[in-house]
Amino acid sequence: MTGPDVLASLRPRLPSPLQEVEDVRFARHGVRLLLKRDDLIHPELIGNKWRKLAPNLDAAAGRPIVTFGGAYSNHLRATAAAGRLLGLRTTGVVRGQELADRPLNPSLARCAADGMLLHFVDRSTYRAKAEPRTLAAILRAAHAEDAHVVPEGGSNTEAVRGCVSLGGELSGLADVVAVACGTGGTLAGLAAGLAPDQRALGIPVLKGGFLTAEIQTLQERAFGRRRGVWSLDDRFHFGGYARTTPELDAFAADFEQRHGLPVERLYVAKLLYGLVILTEEGRLAPGSTLAAVITGRP
């Protein structure tokens, strides 16, 4: 059985540290930059993965966990690690049947080493995974009908409510709180936990412009209505999920050198790059304090 006592035994570092950094690209515009170091919450359940997974593990009440992700999913890795640490059976439904006959990449190999059963499905089935009949068929094929199902990216009602504490930890400490967004659950909870005079900013790492509706739906399911002041800027996905460019890599390496912070490329680098551009564009008022949530590490 899981529960608050078992999860506490994993010794998460909460609240996560808040670090001020001196960066001329922000300072010359009168903007103070804080880094919310959620990457330091736990060595294996990193960042928003702890905040989103912990309430789902509690809701599972010891049942196996089934969840979903692509071949490089941070969420799959975190779920597999949680299963090993807590003695829970985990199954990862992986997008791409063609991957079943190939050697596992390092991300999926780590999942398997942590005891996760990998179940590969074709991409059309994966797209329909939320439909009840398709989901039931996937669970039968994976021999996991009794499992607690966690959606792709971990974003569901439990996860959104779990991320409210992130906003609470930053309440009154920054004018704007920014976070990179994949499925939107972290932003949905973060915005709900901030004070009324604060706003949350999401930087999507996927292209498509669909997240606004997704986040509003997540908030309505979790709280009954839209909560907090939040917005998205879709310009900094660099081609889509798991894609980077030489420009982004150079930016991340420079930020690492300036501040001694290992910069994860798929989420955090895009967030920080976007914030530099927004500051240069004058989107952040002089004299304001900006907090960037560091949700992962390389």
Side-chain angles (χ1 to χ4, degrees):
M1 296 289 287
T2 54
D5 292 341
V6 175
L7 294 172
S9 72
L10 298 180
R11 298 182 180 180
R13 188 179 182 183
L14 292 171
S16 60
L18 190 62
Q19 172 188 354
E20 182 169 2
V21 295
E22 294 291 336
D23 191 308
V24 66
R25 294 169 294 187
F26 296 89
R28 69 186 173 208
H29 296 282
V31 175
R32 178 177 175 231
L33 178 63
L34 307 176
L35 303 180
K36 179 63 169 166
R37 298 294 303 276
D38 265 22
D39 59 312
L40 300 178
I41 287 177
H42 189 277
E44 294 187 80
L45 305 182
I46 297 168
N48 60 342
K49 301 308 176 190
W50 172 273
R51 297 187 190 272
K52 294 163 77 174
L53 267 177
N56 272 289
L57 294 168
D58 194 28
R63 288 181 293 153
I65 301 285
V66 168
T67 194
F68 302 82
Y72 294 92
S73 169
N74 292 329
H75 170 66
L76 287 184
R77 288 210 312 274
T79 304
R84 172 174 55 78
L85 292 167
L86 296 171
L88 293 174
R89 182 161 61 90
T90 61
T91 298
V93 179
V94 183
R95 179 179 62 247
Q97 181 64 49
E98 71 278 5
L99 301 174
D101 299 322
R102 300 177 186 174
L104 297 179
N105 66 33
S107 182
L108 294 178
R110 178 61 183 270
C111 291
D114 278 340
M116 175 174 274
L117 173 66
L118 299 176
H119 180 72
F120 297 88
V121 299
D122 65 83
R123 293 171 187 269
S124 61
T125 298
Y126 191 90
R127 285 193 295 271
K129 61 188 178 299
E131 298 175 4
R133 291 180 63 181
T134 302
L135 176 60
I138 291 172
L139 295 178
R140 283 195 303 272
H143 306 290
E145 294 96 326
D146 60 335
H148 176 73
V149 177
V150 179
E152 182 178 27
S155 291
N156 58 6
T157 296
E158 289 85 1
V160 170
R161 291 173 179 163
C163 290
V164 172
S165 62
L166 173 58
E169 291 173 24
L170 288 163
S171 181
L173 299 177
D175 300 289
V176 179
V177 180
V179 65
C181 299
T183 51
T186 302
L187 179 65
L190 161 66
L194 292 173
D197 60 344
Q198 296 175 285
R199 66 182 176 96
L201 170 65
I203 303 295
V205 302
L206 293 81
K207 61 182 179 180
F210 58 88
L211 263 188
T212 297
E214 295 282 339
I215 294 167
Q216 181 145 336
T217 297
L218 286 169
Q219 287 198 326
E220 289 170 353
R221 289 174 179 169
F223 312 118
R225 60 184 176 85
R226 181 169 174 143
R227 289 275 301 272
V229 180
W230 56 269
S231 62
L232 301 174
D233 193 313
D234 291 297
R235 294 180 292 160
F236 306 110
H237 54 71
F238 284 85
Y241 182 70
R243 295 187 180 182
T244 64
T245 66
E247 179 186 12
L248 183 65
D249 287 334
F251 170 85
D254 176 70
F255 199 96
E256 290 175 335
Q257 185 175 17
R258 288 173 188 248
H259 304 299
L261 172 76
V263 176
E264 186 271 335
R265 298 306 200 257
L266 306 186
Y267 287 85
V268 176
K270 295 177 181 183
L271 167 69
L272 296 171
Y273 181 96
L275 294 179
V276 168
I277 298 300
L278 287 166
T279 302
E280 291 175 348
E281 292 175 346
R283 304 291 183 91
L284 297 164
S288 62
T289 297
L290 167 67
V293 182
I294 308 301
T295 51
R297 59 175 178 262

